[in-house]
Amino acid sequence: MERVLRLRHPTNAAFRLAIMSLQKGDKEGAFVVAIARGEKRTKLTDSRLYGPFSLDEAEKAWASVVKGLGDDGYLPSGVAELLETIATSKKPRLRARAADKLGWRKEVRGVEALLTRAATPKDDVASLVVALGRIGDARALPLLREEAARKLLSRRRAGAEALRLMNDVEGLAGVRARALERLPENVQQALLAVDEGSEEGADAI
C-alpha cells in the first residue's frame, strides 16, 4: 500500500517541489503520511509527518493533504511542467507541444495558461487554440470564435477546428456564413439551393 506522489507549484520557487509518501509505521498495521517540500529534490527543507493511522485513516489523511496542496496551487508534476512550458518557454515548438499534450489530456487546469499565452500571439497560437477546443471549456469560446474569423488562413482553420471540437453550433454557423461570403456568387447560390432542397426533403419525411 506504500505510494509516492510528486507535485509541483508553478510559481512558488522556494517550495516548487512537494513529495508525498504513504509509508508503513513502526507498529503492525500502522501507516504514516509524510510530506517534504523544497526548491528541488536535493533541497527539501520543509518536512512533516502525519500519523500513525490505521489504513482507512491514512487514506483519509492522504486525500486531505493532497486537497490542501491542490488548494495552495500544487499540481501533478507532469501538468505543472506543461504549464511552466506554456508560460515561460521562448521556443514556440516546445509551447506548441505542451499545448497539444494539455489538449489531448483535456486538462481543464491548463485553460487559464493557454488563454494567457494566446493573448500575446506567437507562432504557436494555432496549437493553443486547438488545444482549448479539445479541452472544451466554455471560457475559451470568445477567443475561439474570434480566431475562426481571422483573415490569416492558418489561424482561421485552427479556430474553426476548435469550434468543431466543442460542437459550438452558433460559432460554426458564423464560420459557414463567412466561408460562403468568400465564394463566387454563383457557387453561393448553388450551395444555398442544395441546403434548401435538403430542408424540404427533411420536412417531407
Side-chain angles (χ1 to χ4, degrees):
M1 188 54 66
E2 295 184 3
R3 71 179 70 132
V4 175
L5 176 65
R6 289 177 173 81
L7 302 167
R8 289 174 65 86
H9 199 291
T11 58
N12 189 340
F15 297 105
R16 185 175 300 279
L17 179 64
I19 300 179
M20 286 183 59
S21 61
L22 178 63
Q23 309 168 5
K24 289 183 179 179
D26 295 333
K27 296 182 179 180
E28 184 69 24
F31 294 85
V32 295
V33 176
I35 177 172
R37 300 188 307 155
E39 181 183 348
K40 54 185 178 180
R41 189 174 60 83
T42 56
K43 291 185 178 181
L44 299 175
T45 57
D46 178 30
S47 299
R48 302 180 188 183
L49 193 67
Y50 302 93
F53 302 110
S54 67
L55 180 56
D56 287 344
E57 291 172 335
E59 291 286 4
K60 292 177 182 178
W62 176 275
S64 178
V65 174
V66 170
K67 183 180 184 304
L69 290 171
D71 291 342
D72 287 341
Y74 282 88
L75 299 166
S77 289
V79 175
E81 289 165 0
L82 292 175
L83 296 184
E84 287 179 27
T85 299
I86 294 292
T88 64
S89 177
K90 295 181 180 180
K91 297 181 179 180
R93 179 176 59 84
L94 294 181
R95 295 197 305 266
R97 186 180 301 170
D100 192 48
K101 290 180 179 179
L102 289 170
W104 282 110
R105 293 182 183 188
K106 298 187 181 298
E107 183 54 72
V108 175
R109 289 170 292 191
V111 171
E112 288 296 337
L114 291 167
L115 288 173
T116 299
R117 171 58 70 178
T120 55
K122 302 292 182 183
D123 295 341
D124 56 332
V125 66
S127 299
L128 304 176
V129 167
V130 173
L132 286 164
R134 286 200 176 100
I135 294 171
D137 192 292
R139 288 173 291 175
L141 274 177
L143 170 67
L144 304 188
R145 290 177 179 177
E146 180 181 338
E147 289 297 309
R150 294 282 185 183
K151 291 184 178 180
L152 186 63
L153 180 59
S154 61
R155 292 180 63 173
R156 190 165 73 240
R157 281 179 174 172
E161 173 63 7
L163 293 177
R164 184 191 69 79
L165 289 167
M166 290 191 67
N167 195 29
D168 176 28
V169 175
E170 181 179 344
L172 290 172
V175 169
R176 184 179 184 280
R178 288 186 294 273
L180 282 173
E181 291 174 358
R182 288 189 286 270
L183 295 173
E185 186 174 352
N186 61 327
V187 177
Q188 291 183 37
Q189 295 301 321
L191 290 174
L192 289 172
V194 170
D195 284 350
E196 290 175 0
S198 299
E199 291 176 1
E200 290 174 0
D203 290 340
I205 294 173

